[in-house]
Amino acid sequence: MSGIDISKKVLLITFLIFGVLTAAFTLTHNMQLSNFLELEKVDTADNVERVQNVISTEQGYLNRTVQDWACWDDTCSFVEDKNPNYTEVNLQNQTLTGIKVNVMLFVNKSGSVVYAKSVDMYTGEEKPIPKKLLRMVEDGTLLSKSENDKKSGFVLLDEDPMFVACHPILTTKYNGPMKGTLIFGRYFDDVLLNNFKDSTRSSLSMYRIDEDLPPDFQTKLKSLSENQDRIIVEPLSENKVAGYFELLDVSGKPALVIRADFPRELYKYGEKTLNNMYFFLLLTGLMTGVGVKFAFDKLFISRLIGIDNFVTKVRSEKDLSRRLPLKNNDELYRLSKEINRMLNEIELAEQELKAQEREKKVLLDSLNELAIFVNPQLYIIWANKAALEFMKIDLQKAMGQRLKNTPDISIPLSDSLDLEQIFMTGNKKSGEFTGKDGRVWIVQAIPVTEEGGKIIGVLEMCRDITESKATETLLQEKQIAEAANRTKSEFLANMSHELRTPLNSIIGFSDLLYEQVYGELNERQLKSVGNISKSGKHLLN
């Protein structure tokens, strides 16, 4: 039976090791997969930056174009004199399509539109100026306030979003006061978006924030505002990952949200490679575990089974005289040798312990006091003969009982002292306790500690002092009575002395009056003086 148990334990250890290796492989796999996710995120962010750079390049072109026109002396003169030759030569429809501008607005320094033109980029036909753009000119949103006040950004028009670049109109040498504001605009339409898709080789989706956004765009818009990098990367599916970013209007607020989609080739390749490595390592670990198990069984288990059977037999028969046979000179040989040496020491220690137990039992059983040893849970571990007779129980039944649940002894030993406090503080306690039956006990509880200082129990001693207490009480009462008698005698002596002197004077003078030494008295006066003398003598007696 022990051989089967050891074999099961070895098998369990093998599976445990395999489980640990599997957990380690899984953790490594997940960490590496997480690294690939992070790498994919970085790669996607780089691709999104390429899209941003393409859009920024287009925006930069419009900014440079409006700057060239705004710092041209002819433009500076035109906003003041409205020279028709300037419009005939420079502001033809094909001129706007050639520089890729849909809208031109010339505004003088008073905020009035001097000239406005709008064309279709792809047909060259002239179109109406967007009303919202004109309203933004009127309220000053698009106007430059100083020579260095340049504005650029998107405007959400009713037709399409438009990128707008605004520049103060100055002379070529940038000297002299500002003459007005030149505004160029280009629609960010589907054609331009497709051009960006082709140049970046990505799938782009654009949504305006003033319209109903798809759920994923709604959640990302708030995150984009809180993200310092202005880019959020998130997988869309197993095969596609997306990067989100926003484009700002001329006031610096979000106007458009763009999502760039890319295939997850890098992540899928890394995942496939990691999966192959993962299964290879698992297979290698399983095969190694099985091989180690069989080798361990063959080399060690049989001898361990013999040692296990020997120890089990010694324990069951309690025969410490047995010894384990020794063979081979290896670790198990040394283990068997140490087991035999340990059996020798245990046998000697057991004999010495039995002798000490007998001495302790004889010593404690000779005491008249009740002695009980309890553990930290207040369960009785040992009690002397006096305590067992008091509880009317033998030691085997008393051991394991909770002290507070033992009515015959819980009152003098448990209720009189706070045993839990003793275990907490480590301080011994003593006190006197009177039971309901009138018996008086003196109780002492001493904490018992091991070598490390930890309290392992409390030894309680309880002694009945009812008779000595009664004798002491009678002696005290006798002493009190004698003191009271002495006090009475002293009081009477003092009173006798204090009363006798004035009474003698009263009696003497009353007798003189009665004998009429100081003169004659009438019958009534004689009677009163006689009463004084009579009462004084009575009080003196």
Side-chain angles (χ1 to χ4, degrees):
M1 191 66 184
S2 60
I4 298 176
D5 293 339
I6 294 176
S7 181
K8 286 182 179 179
K9 291 177 181 178
V10 172
L11 183 62
L12 179 63
I13 292 173
T14 303
F15 278 118
L16 181 61
I17 294 174
F18 179 72
V20 172
L21 291 175
T22 302
F25 293 157
T26 303
L27 179 62
T28 304
H29 174 270
N30 293 336
M31 290 176 61
Q32 292 298 327
L33 200 60
S34 176
N35 291 337
F36 273 107
L37 282 172
E38 194 65 29
L39 186 61
E40 179 189 54
K41 183 177 180 180
V42 173
D43 183 67
T44 303
D46 292 340
N47 290 330
V48 172
E49 286 183 1
R50 288 195 298 106
V51 176
Q52 289 179 318
N53 290 337
V54 171
I55 297 176
S56 297
T57 300
E58 195 67 28
Q59 295 175 346
Y61 166 76
L62 191 61
N63 287 333
R64 291 191 299 273
T65 303
V66 72
Q67 180 178 353
D68 291 342
W69 280 67
C71 296
W72 186 16
D73 292 342
D74 290 348
T75 303
C76 191
S77 301
F78 174 71
V79 294
E80 292 182 336
D81 57 17
K82 301 179 184 178
N83 184 6
N85 185 52
Y86 180 88
T87 59
E88 292 175 2
V89 175
N90 301 308
L91 302 180
Q92 299 297 319
N93 292 355
Q94 58 270 22
T95 303
L96 272 67
T97 58
I99 61 175
K100 299 179 182 179
V101 174
N102 289 103
V103 176
M104 279 187 174
L105 292 174
F106 293 79
V107 184
N108 59 24
K109 60 183 178 181
S110 63
S112 301
V113 178
V114 175
Y115 182 84
K117 192 176 189 67
S118 175
V119 299
D120 188 318
M121 181 77 66
Y122 311 108
T123 63
E125 296 180 359
E126 193 164 341
K127 297 178 64 177
I129 304 296
K131 295 181 180 179
K132 185 174 182 179
L133 204 62
L134 294 175
R135 288 197 299 271
M136 294 179 72
V137 172
E138 292 177 1
D139 60 24
T141 303
L142 301 180
L143 299 183
S144 298
K145 304 298 189 298
S146 65
E147 287 79 357
N148 297 317
D149 187 13
K150 306 170 186 177
K151 297 181 180 180
S152 65
F154 286 91
V155 175
L156 299 179
L157 303 178
D158 296 335
E159 301 82 356
D160 280 309
M162 174 178 284
F163 181 74
V164 174
C166 311
H167 198 283
I169 298 176
L170 303 168
T171 61
T172 304
K173 297 181 179 180
Y174 291 91
N175 55 3
M178 181 184 71
K179 303 298 182 181
T181 304
L182 181 60
I183 303 170
F184 281 8
R186 179 174 180 180
Y187 285 110
F188 193 175
D189 51 18
D190 292 337
V191 176
L192 185 58
L193 185 64
N194 290 329
N195 290 338
F196 292 156
K197 292 179 182 179
D198 294 338
S199 61
T200 59
R201 296 181 181 179
S202 60
S203 176
L204 300 178
S205 302
M206 178 182 68
Y207 287 91
R208 304 162 54 127
I209 65 168
D210 59 350
E211 296 179 351
D212 292 334
L213 298 175
D216 63 322
F217 279 81
Q218 291 178 359
T219 56
K220 300 302 179 298
L221 180 60
K222 182 178 180 181
S223 300
L224 282 169
S225 300
E226 300 172 351
N227 193 298
Q228 295 180 353
D229 296 334
R230 314 299 288 183
I231 295 175
I232 293 179
V233 176
E234 186 175 286
L236 293 179
S237 63
E238 292 184 357
N239 300 315
K240 187 180 292 186
V241 63
Y244 299 81
F245 65 96
E246 61 185 5
L247 297 175
L248 306 180
D249 62 13
V250 291
S251 300
K253 297 179 181 179
L256 302 171
V257 180
I258 294 181
R259 187 185 76 194
D261 301 340
F262 303 95
R264 305 185 69 182
E265 296 176 352
L266 178 63
Y267 175 77
K268 298 298 289 184
Y269 176 78
E271 183 182 34
K272 182 178 179 181
T273 303
L274 286 176
N275 288 338
N276 293 336
M277 292 178 60
Y278 178 70
F279 289 117
F280 173 75
L281 291 174
L282 287 182
L283 181 60
T284 303
L286 181 61
M287 293 178 63
T288 302
V290 172
V292 169
K293 199 273 179 186
F294 281 113
F296 196 78
D297 284 346
K298 186 176 180 180
L299 296 175
F300 302 106
I301 292 300
S302 59
R303 294 173 65 190
L304 287 174
I305 290 174
I307 295 174
D308 178 67
N309 291 335
F310 170 80
V311 174
T312 302
K313 194 170 184 179
V314 170
R315 179 178 56 81
S316 60
E317 295 179 359
K318 294 181 173 51
D319 185 5
L320 297 177
S321 64
R322 287 180 174 273
R323 294 298 177 267
L324 190 65
L326 304 176
K327 56 183 178 180
N328 297 333
N329 189 12
D330 55 9
E331 286 80 2
L332 292 181
Y333 166 83
R334 289 191 287 274
L335 174 63
S336 302
K337 189 176 180 180
E338 289 299 323
I339 289 176
N340 289 338
R341 185 181 300 173
M342 181 182 65
L343 288 174
N344 290 332
E345 294 177 357
I346 291 175
E347 187 175 12
L348 294 174
E350 185 179 30
Q351 294 173 0
E352 183 179 354
L353 183 61
K354 287 181 179 179
Q356 292 177 355
E357 287 290 333
R358 286 193 298 269
E359 292 176 2
K360 181 189 71 173
K361 187 175 186 304
V362 170
L363 177 62
L364 293 177
D365 284 346
S366 64
L367 298 176
N368 293 327
E369 288 86 350
L370 311 183
I372 291 183
F373 183 68
V374 296
N375 64 8
Q377 289 75 38
L378 303 186
Y379 287 103
I380 298 174
I381 303 300
W382 184 87
N384 71 344
K385 182 179 179 181
L388 294 173
E389 291 177 353
F390 184 85
M391 291 188 291
K392 301 179 181 61
I393 192 172
D394 59 28
L395 182 60
Q396 295 299 325
K397 291 183 180 179
M399 291 173 61
Q401 289 194 26
R402 189 170 175 82
L403 182 61
K404 290 188 176 182
N405 298 335
T406 310
D408 291 333
I409 203 166
S410 66
I411 291 177
L413 280 181
S414 176
D415 293 355
S416 58
L417 298 176
D418 188 355
L419 299 183
E420 289 84 352
Q421 187 69 19
I422 296 176
F423 281 104
M424 292 176 59
T425 62
N427 299 326
K428 66 179 182 179
K429 285 190 175 184
S430 60
E432 190 176 291
F433 177 77
T434 303
K436 294 181 180 179
D437 56 359
R439 300 176 69 178
V440 183
W441 303 82
I442 183 168
V443 184
Q444 186 176 32
I446 305 172
V448 179
T449 60
E450 59 183 4
E451 292 182 358
K454 180 181 178 182
I455 300 177
I456 60 175
V458 169
L459 178 63
E460 295 186 275
M461 305 291 291
C462 185
R463 181 162 55 92
D464 187 351
I465 59 170
T466 305
E467 294 182 1
S468 60
K469 197 72 176 177
T471 302
E472 181 182 347
T473 302
L474 290 175
L475 181 60
Q476 290 178 352
E477 290 178 353
K478 178 183 176 183
Q479 293 174 348
I480 292 172
E482 290 176 349
N485 189 44
R486 286 194 301 271
T487 302
K488 179 190 71 173
S489 299
E490 292 174 358
F491 173 75
L492 291 177
N494 290 334
M495 288 299 295
S496 176
H497 174 73
E498 294 297 332
L499 292 176
R500 187 179 300 276
T501 301
L503 282 176
N504 285 332
S505 296
I506 294 172
I507 293 171
F509 282 109
S510 62
D511 287 344
L512 291 176
L513 291 174
Y514 188 77
E515 292 175 1
Q516 299 184 18
V517 175
Y518 299 107
E520 294 183 1
L521 301 175
N522 60 33
E523 184 179 353
R524 184 179 179 184
Q525 290 172 336
L526 287 174
K527 185 178 180 180
S528 296
V529 171
N531 287 338
I532 291 173
S533 177
K534 185 179 179 181
S535 296
K537 292 175 181 178
H538 176 72
L539 181 59
L540 181 63
N541 291 333

PDB file of all heavy atoms in Angstrom, residues 206-230:
ATOM      1  N   MET A 206     -13.660  58.800 -42.170  1.00  0.00           N
ATOM      2  CA  MET A 206     -13.683  60.141 -41.574  1.00  0.00           C
ATOM      3  C   MET A 206     -15.107  60.461 -41.130  1.00  0.00           C
ATOM      4  O   MET A 206     -16.074  60.194 -41.863  1.00  0.00           O
ATOM      5  CB  MET A 206     -13.201  61.179 -42.601  1.00  0.00           C
ATOM      6  CG  MET A 206     -13.241  62.614 -42.074  1.00  0.00           C
ATOM      7  SD  MET A 206     -12.724  63.803 -43.334  1.00  0.00           S
ATOM      8  CE  MET A 206     -14.085  63.667 -44.494  1.00  0.00           C
ATOM      9  N   TYR A 207     -15.250  61.026 -39.937  1.00  0.00           N
ATOM     10  CA  TYR A 207     -16.556  61.417 -39.418  1.00  0.00           C
ATOM     11  C   TYR A 207     -16.438  62.800 -38.773  1.00  0.00           C
ATOM     12  O   TYR A 207     -15.450  63.124 -38.129  1.00  0.00           O
ATOM     13  CB  TYR A 207     -17.059  60.408 -38.375  1.00  0.00           C
ATOM     14  CG  TYR A 207     -17.513  59.110 -38.982  1.00  0.00           C
ATOM     15  CD1 TYR A 207     -16.621  58.055 -39.139  1.00  0.00           C
ATOM     16  CD2 TYR A 207     -18.823  58.937 -39.410  1.00  0.00           C
ATOM     17  CE1 TYR A 207     -17.019  56.853 -39.706  1.00  0.00           C
ATOM     18  CE2 TYR A 207     -19.233  57.740 -39.970  1.00  0.00           C
ATOM     19  CZ  TYR A 207     -18.336  56.704 -40.119  1.00  0.00           C
ATOM     20  OH  TYR A 207     -18.733  55.516 -40.682  1.00  0.00           O
ATOM     21  N   ARG A 208     -17.485  63.589 -38.985  1.00  0.00           N
ATOM     22  CA  ARG A 208     -17.573  64.922 -38.370  1.00  0.00           C
ATOM     23  C   ARG A 208     -18.147  64.773 -36.967  1.00  0.00           C
ATOM     24  O   ARG A 208     -19.032  63.945 -36.725  1.00  0.00           O
ATOM     25  CB  ARG A 208     -18.483  65.824 -39.200  1.00  0.00           C
ATOM     26  CG  ARG A 208     -18.088  65.961 -40.640  1.00  0.00           C
ATOM     27  CD  ARG A 208     -19.253  66.481 -41.481  1.00  0.00           C
ATOM     28  NE  ARG A 208     -19.820  67.716 -40.988  1.00  0.00           N
ATOM     29  CZ  ARG A 208     -19.990  68.815 -41.735  1.00  0.00           C
ATOM     30  NH1 ARG A 208     -19.600  68.819 -43.007  1.00  0.00           N
ATOM     31  NH2 ARG A 208     -20.517  69.879 -41.222  1.00  0.00           N
ATOM     32  N   ILE A 209     -17.667  65.619 -36.040  1.00  0.00           N
ATOM     33  CA  ILE A 209     -18.146  65.495 -34.665  1.00  0.00           C
ATOM     34  C   ILE A 209     -19.519  66.136 -34.483  1.00  0.00           C
ATOM     35  O   ILE A 209     -20.156  65.940 -33.441  1.00  0.00           O
ATOM     36  CB  ILE A 209     -17.149  66.129 -33.671  1.00  0.00           C
ATOM     37  CG1 ILE A 209     -17.050  67.637 -33.912  1.00  0.00           C
ATOM     38  CG2 ILE A 209     -15.794  65.476 -33.761  1.00  0.00           C
ATOM     39  CD1 ILE A 209     -16.330  68.359 -32.816  1.00  0.00           C
ATOM     40  N   ASP A 210     -19.987  66.913 -35.492  1.00  0.00           N
ATOM     41  CA  ASP A 210     -21.308  67.522 -35.369  1.00  0.00           C
ATOM     42  C   ASP A 210     -22.392  66.609 -35.921  1.00  0.00           C
ATOM     43  O   ASP A 210     -23.550  67.020 -36.039  1.00  0.00           O
ATOM     44  CB  ASP A 210     -21.341  68.893 -36.068  1.00  0.00           C
ATOM     45  CG  ASP A 210     -20.988  68.787 -37.550  1.00  0.00           C
ATOM     46  OD1 ASP A 210     -20.543  67.702 -37.981  1.00  0.00           O
ATOM     47  OD2 ASP A 210     -21.143  69.794 -38.274  1.00  0.00           O
ATOM     48  N   GLU A 211     -22.036  65.386 -36.290  1.00  0.00           N
ATOM     49  CA  GLU A 211     -23.007  64.407 -36.770  1.00  0.00           C
ATOM     50  C   GLU A 211     -22.980  63.204 -35.827  1.00  0.00           C
ATOM     51  O   GLU A 211     -22.132  63.100 -34.948  1.00  0.00           O
ATOM     52  CB  GLU A 211     -22.660  63.973 -38.203  1.00  0.00           C
ATOM     53  CG  GLU A 211     -22.757  65.109 -39.221  1.00  0.00           C
ATOM     54  CD  GLU A 211     -22.374  64.632 -40.618  1.00  0.00           C
ATOM     55  OE1 GLU A 211     -21.878  63.497 -40.722  1.00  0.00           O
ATOM     56  OE2 GLU A 211     -22.561  65.402 -41.573  1.00  0.00           O
ATOM     57  N   ASP A 212     -23.942  62.304 -36.037  1.00  0.00           N
ATOM     58  CA  ASP A 212     -23.987  61.091 -35.218  1.00  0.00           C
ATOM     59  C   ASP A 212     -22.797  60.202 -35.557  1.00  0.00           C
ATOM     60  O   ASP A 212     -22.645  59.747 -36.700  1.00  0.00           O
ATOM     61  CB  ASP A 212     -25.295  60.332 -35.464  1.00  0.00           C
ATOM     62  CG  ASP A 212     -26.497  61.089 -34.936  1.00  0.00           C
ATOM     63  OD1 ASP A 212     -26.307  61.894 -34.000  1.00  0.00           O
ATOM     64  OD2 ASP A 212     -27.611  60.896 -35.462  1.00  0.00           O
ATOM     65  N   LEU A 213     -21.975  59.942 -34.570  1.00  0.00           N
ATOM     66  CA  LEU A 213     -20.784  59.124 -34.770  1.00  0.00           C
ATOM     67  C   LEU A 213     -21.097  57.657 -34.509  1.00  0.00           C
ATOM     68  O   LEU A 213     -21.948  57.338 -33.678  1.00  0.00           O
ATOM     69  CB  LEU A 213     -19.668  59.577 -33.826  1.00  0.00           C
ATOM     70  CG  LEU A 213     -19.150  61.007 -34.001  1.00  0.00           C
ATOM     71  CD1 LEU A 213     -18.138  61.315 -32.906  1.00  0.00           C
ATOM     72  CD2 LEU A 213     -18.512  61.185 -35.363  1.00  0.00           C
ATOM     73  N   PRO A 214     -20.409  56.741 -35.189  1.00  0.00           N
ATOM     74  CA  PRO A 214     -20.527  55.316 -34.850  1.00  0.00           C
ATOM     75  C   PRO A 214     -20.086  55.084 -33.415  1.00  0.00           C
ATOM     76  O   PRO A 214     -19.337  55.879 -32.843  1.00  0.00           O
ATOM     77  CB  PRO A 214     -19.571  54.628 -35.853  1.00  0.00           C
ATOM     78  CG  PRO A 214     -19.426  55.598 -36.960  1.00  0.00           C
ATOM     79  CD  PRO A 214     -19.542  56.966 -36.359  1.00  0.00           C
ATOM     80  N   PRO A 215     -20.530  53.981 -32.783  1.00  0.00           N
ATOM     81  CA  PRO A 215     -20.205  53.746 -31.361  1.00  0.00           C
ATOM     82  C   PRO A 215     -18.721  53.787 -31.061  1.00  0.00           C
ATOM     83  O   PRO A 215     -18.294  54.366 -30.054  1.00  0.00           O
ATOM     84  CB  PRO A 215     -20.792  52.344 -31.097  1.00  0.00           C
ATOM     85  CG  PRO A 215     -21.884  52.204 -32.095  1.00  0.00           C
ATOM     86  CD  PRO A 215     -21.435  52.945 -33.318  1.00  0.00           C
ATOM     87  N   ASP A 216     -17.889  53.160 -31.932  1.00  0.00           N
ATOM     88  CA  ASP A 216     -16.461  53.144 -31.624  1.00  0.00           C
ATOM     89  C   ASP A 216     -15.853  54.534 -31.726  1.00  0.00           C
ATOM     90  O   ASP A 216     -14.940  54.885 -30.973  1.00  0.00           O
ATOM     91  CB  ASP A 216     -15.728  52.158 -32.541  1.00  0.00           C
ATOM     92  CG  ASP A 216     -15.825  52.558 -34.002  1.00  0.00           C
ATOM     93  OD1 ASP A 216     -16.897  53.037 -34.406  1.00  0.00           O
ATOM     94  OD2 ASP A 216     -14.830  52.373 -34.740  1.00  0.00           O
ATOM     95  N   PHE A 217     -16.389  55.388 -32.640  1.00  0.00           N
ATOM     96  CA  PHE A 217     -15.886  56.753 -32.759  1.00  0.00           C
ATOM     97  C   PHE A 217     -16.302  57.587 -31.553  1.00  0.00           C
ATOM     98  O   PHE A 217     -15.555  58.446 -31.085  1.00  0.00           O
ATOM     99  CB  PHE A 217     -16.405  57.394 -34.042  1.00  0.00           C
ATOM    100  CG  PHE A 217     -15.619  57.015 -35.265  1.00  0.00           C
ATOM    101  CD1 PHE A 217     -15.842  55.806 -35.901  1.00  0.00           C
ATOM    102  CD2 PHE A 217     -14.638  57.844 -35.779  1.00  0.00           C
ATOM    103  CE1 PHE A 217     -15.127  55.431 -37.012  1.00  0.00           C
ATOM    104  CE2 PHE A 217     -13.915  57.487 -36.892  1.00  0.00           C
ATOM    105  CZ  PHE A 217     -14.159  56.269 -37.523  1.00  0.00           C
ATOM    106  N   GLN A 218     -17.524  57.336 -31.030  1.00  0.00           N
ATOM    107  CA  GLN A 218     -17.984  58.095 -29.862  1.00  0.00           C
ATOM    108  C   GLN A 218     -17.108  57.843 -28.647  1.00  0.00           C
ATOM    109  O   GLN A 218     -16.745  58.767 -27.913  1.00  0.00           O
ATOM    110  CB  GLN A 218     -19.434  57.704 -29.542  1.00  0.00           C
ATOM    111  CG  GLN A 218     -20.432  58.183 -30.588  1.00  0.00           C
ATOM    112  CD  GLN A 218     -21.849  57.744 -30.256  1.00  0.00           C
ATOM    113  OE1 GLN A 218     -22.078  57.070 -29.254  1.00  0.00           O
ATOM    114  NE2 GLN A 218     -22.798  58.109 -31.100  1.00  0.00           N
ATOM    115  N   THR A 219     -16.754  56.571 -28.418  1.00  0.00           N
ATOM    116  CA  THR A 219     -15.928  56.254 -27.254  1.00  0.00           C
ATOM    117  C   THR A 219     -14.508  56.761 -27.419  1.00  0.00           C
ATOM    118  O   THR A 219     -13.846  57.136 -26.443  1.00  0.00           O
ATOM    119  CB  THR A 219     -15.901  54.730 -27.027  1.00  0.00           C
ATOM    120  OG1 THR A 219     -15.436  54.089 -28.216  1.00  0.00           O
ATOM    121  CG2 THR A 219     -17.275  54.212 -26.690  1.00  0.00           C
ATOM    122  N   LYS A 220     -14.025  56.789 -28.642  1.00  0.00           N
ATOM    123  CA  LYS A 220     -12.631  57.204 -28.854  1.00  0.00           C
ATOM    124  C   LYS A 220     -12.477  58.717 -28.826  1.00  0.00           C
ATOM    125  O   LYS A 220     -11.396  59.223 -28.535  1.00  0.00           O
ATOM    126  CB  LYS A 220     -12.107  56.672 -30.197  1.00  0.00           C
ATOM    127  CG  LYS A 220     -12.131  55.157 -30.308  1.00  0.00           C
ATOM    128  CD  LYS A 220     -11.324  54.523 -29.217  1.00  0.00           C
ATOM    129  CE  LYS A 220     -11.354  53.000 -29.310  1.00  0.00           C
ATOM    130  NZ  LYS A 220     -12.710  52.453 -29.151  1.00  0.00           N
ATOM    131  N   LEU A 221     -13.556  59.460 -29.134  1.00  0.00           N
ATOM    132  CA  LEU A 221     -13.453  60.918 -29.193  1.00  0.00           C
ATOM    133  C   LEU A 221     -13.060  61.483 -27.827  1.00  0.00           C
ATOM    134  O   LEU A 221     -12.181  62.347 -27.725  1.00  0.00           O
ATOM    135  CB  LEU A 221     -14.785  61.523 -29.652  1.00  0.00           C
ATOM    136  CG  LEU A 221     -14.807  63.050 -29.760  1.00  0.00           C
ATOM    137  CD1 LEU A 221     -13.771  63.528 -30.770  1.00  0.00           C
ATOM    138  CD2 LEU A 221     -16.204  63.531 -30.146  1.00  0.00           C
ATOM    139  N   LYS A 222     -13.687  60.969 -26.764  1.00  0.00           N
ATOM    140  CA  LYS A 222     -13.363  61.452 -25.419  1.00  0.00           C
ATOM    141  C   LYS A 222     -11.942  61.058 -25.045  1.00  0.00           C
ATOM    142  O   LYS A 222     -11.193  61.850 -24.453  1.00  0.00           O
ATOM    143  CB  LYS A 222     -14.354  60.870 -24.408  1.00  0.00           C
ATOM    144  CG  LYS A 222     -14.105  61.360 -22.993  1.00  0.00           C
ATOM    145  CD  LYS A 222     -15.138  60.794 -22.042  1.00  0.00           C
ATOM    146  CE  LYS A 222     -14.875  61.282 -20.626  1.00  0.00           C
ATOM    147  NZ  LYS A 222     -15.852  60.732 -19.661  1.00  0.00           N
ATOM    148  N   SER A 223     -11.562  59.826 -25.401  1.00  0.00           N
ATOM    149  CA  SER A 223     -10.211  59.374 -25.085  1.00  0.00           C
ATOM    150  C   SER A 223      -9.162  60.183 -25.833  1.00  0.00           C
ATOM    151  O   SER A 223      -8.084  60.462 -25.299  1.00  0.00           O
ATOM    152  CB  SER A 223     -10.062  57.882 -25.425  1.00  0.00           C
ATOM    153  OG  SER A 223     -10.983  57.122 -24.674  1.00  0.00           O
ATOM    154  N   LEU A 224      -9.469  60.581 -27.057  1.00  0.00           N
ATOM    155  CA  LEU A 224      -8.513  61.369 -27.834  1.00  0.00           C
ATOM    156  C   LEU A 224      -8.254  62.714 -27.178  1.00  0.00           C
ATOM    157  O   LEU A 224      -7.137  63.234 -27.193  1.00  0.00           O
ATOM    158  CB  LEU A 224      -9.041  61.566 -29.259  1.00  0.00           C
ATOM    159  CG  LEU A 224      -8.892  60.365 -30.205  1.00  0.00           C
ATOM    160  CD1 LEU A 224      -9.688  60.586 -31.472  1.00  0.00           C
ATOM    161  CD2 LEU A 224      -7.421  60.132 -30.540  1.00  0.00           C
ATOM    162  N   SER A 225      -9.287  63.274 -26.575  1.00  0.00           N
ATOM    163  CA  SER A 225      -9.125  64.582 -25.929  1.00  0.00           C
ATOM    164  C   SER A 225      -8.236  64.473 -24.692  1.00  0.00           C
ATOM    165  O   SER A 225      -7.580  65.436 -24.307  1.00  0.00           O
ATOM    166  CB  SER A 225     -10.501  65.133 -25.532  1.00  0.00           C
ATOM    167  OG  SER A 225     -11.318  65.277 -26.679  1.00  0.00           O
ATOM    168  N   GLU A 226      -8.219  63.271 -24.070  1.00  0.00           N
ATOM    169  CA  GLU A 226      -7.434  63.079 -22.854  1.00  0.00           C
ATOM    170  C   GLU A 226      -6.061  62.483 -23.150  1.00  0.00           C
ATOM    171  O   GLU A 226      -5.217  62.415 -22.266  1.00  0.00           O
ATOM    172  CB  GLU A 226      -8.184  62.156 -21.890  1.00  0.00           C
ATOM    173  CG  GLU A 226      -9.539  62.715 -21.469  1.00  0.00           C
ATOM    174  CD  GLU A 226     -10.350  61.705 -20.671  1.00  0.00           C
ATOM    175  OE1 GLU A 226      -9.910  60.538 -20.602  1.00  0.00           O
ATOM    176  OE2 GLU A 226     -11.412  62.078 -20.148  1.00  0.00           O
ATOM    177  N   ASN A 227      -5.840  62.027 -24.400  1.00  0.00           N
ATOM    178  CA  ASN A 227      -4.588  61.364 -24.762  1.00  0.00           C
ATOM    179  C   ASN A 227      -3.592  62.378 -25.286  1.00  0.00           C
ATOM    180  O   ASN A 227      -3.861  63.075 -26.260  1.00  0.00           O
ATOM    181  CB  ASN A 227      -4.882  60.288 -25.823  1.00  0.00           C
ATOM    182  CG  ASN A 227      -3.706  59.353 -26.014  1.00  0.00           C
ATOM    183  OD1 ASN A 227      -2.634  59.793 -26.419  1.00  0.00           O
ATOM    184  ND2 ASN A 227      -3.913  58.078 -25.742  1.00  0.00           N
ATOM    185  N   GLN A 228      -2.459  62.459 -24.648  1.00  0.00           N
ATOM    186  CA  GLN A 228      -1.463  63.450 -25.048  1.00  0.00           C
ATOM    187  C   GLN A 228      -0.877  63.159 -26.424  1.00  0.00           C
ATOM    188  O   GLN A 228      -0.478  64.073 -27.134  1.00  0.00           O
ATOM    189  CB  GLN A 228      -0.345  63.495 -23.996  1.00  0.00           C
ATOM    190  CG  GLN A 228      -0.814  63.982 -22.633  1.00  0.00           C
ATOM    191  CD  GLN A 228       0.314  64.024 -21.626  1.00  0.00           C
ATOM    192  OE1 GLN A 228       1.420  63.572 -21.900  1.00  0.00           O
ATOM    193  NE2 GLN A 228       0.034  64.583 -20.457  1.00  0.00           N
ATOM    194  N   ASP A 229      -0.784  61.877 -26.799  1.00  0.00           N
ATOM    195  CA  ASP A 229      -0.222  61.533 -28.106  1.00  0.00           C
ATOM    196  C   ASP A 229      -1.200  61.799 -29.243  1.00  0.00           C
ATOM    197  O   ASP A 229      -0.816  61.766 -30.404  1.00  0.00           O
ATOM    198  CB  ASP A 229       0.195  60.057 -28.127  1.00  0.00           C
ATOM    199  CG  ASP A 229       1.301  59.781 -27.134  1.00  0.00           C
ATOM    200  OD1 ASP A 229       2.044  60.734 -26.821  1.00  0.00           O
ATOM    201  OD2 ASP A 229       1.421  58.635 -26.680  1.00  0.00           O
ATOM    202  N   ARG A 230      -2.457  62.031 -28.913  1.00  0.00           N
ATOM    203  CA  ARG A 230      -3.508  62.312 -29.901  1.00  0.00           C
ATOM    204  C   ARG A 230      -3.741  61.157 -30.845  1.00  0.00           C
ATOM    205  O   ARG A 230      -4.311  61.323 -31.913  1.00  0.00           O
ATOM    206  CB  ARG A 230      -3.179  63.578 -30.719  1.00  0.00           C
ATOM    207  CG  ARG A 230      -2.719  64.766 -29.913  1.00  0.00           C
ATOM    208  CD  ARG A 230      -3.735  65.241 -28.940  1.00  0.00           C
ATOM    209  NE  ARG A 230      -4.849  65.906 -29.589  1.00  0.00           N
ATOM    210  CZ  ARG A 230      -5.867  66.482 -28.950  1.00  0.00           C
ATOM    211  NH1 ARG A 230      -5.894  66.439 -27.641  1.00  0.00           N
ATOM    212  NH2 ARG A 230      -6.848  67.061 -29.602  1.00  0.00           N
TER     213      ARG A 230
END
